[in-house]
Amino acid sequence: MARRMGDEGEVRLDILVSAEGAVLEVKLKRTSGSELLDRAAVDAVKRWRFRPAQVDGKPTAEWYYNWSWVFKLDS
């Protein structure tokens, strides 16, 4: 639907990743101006798996700040 409406923009998210690599929390830091694009970015990230951060060689939960997704239509 966003494509049909011609929506474009950049979404910025903060993501909390667990010690197991699962996404625990996603915060919308900056909107693209389109609720559809913002929701698509958040929903996609919630399904991802990450390699967790490590402290002293042990996995630990960590926030990753300012992840950026750009939605751009090709002409």
Side-chain angles (χ1 to χ4, degrees), residues 6-73:
D7 288 353
E8 293 184 319
E10 179 181 11
V11 179
R12 292 217 178 230
L13 303 173
D14 292 342
I15 305 162
L16 177 59
V17 176
S18 73
E20 293 77 32
V23 174
L24 297 176
E25 189 174 345
V26 180
K27 293 182 180 180
L28 181 64
K29 184 160 188 144
R30 188 171 76 193
T31 181
S32 65
S34 165
E35 285 186 44
L36 293 171
L37 297 181
D38 296 347
R39 176 61 32 214
V42 169
D43 288 347
V45 169
K46 285 181 177 180
R47 293 188 304 264
W48 290 4
R49 297 285 297 176
F50 287 80
R51 180 175 296 151
Q54 296 203 4
V55 174
D56 296 327
K58 296 181 182 176
T60 186
E62 183 72 40
W63 277 99
Y64 294 88
Y65 298 102
N66 283 315
W67 278 60
S68 175
W69 280 265
V70 177
F71 294 90
K72 182 160 178 64
L73 296 172

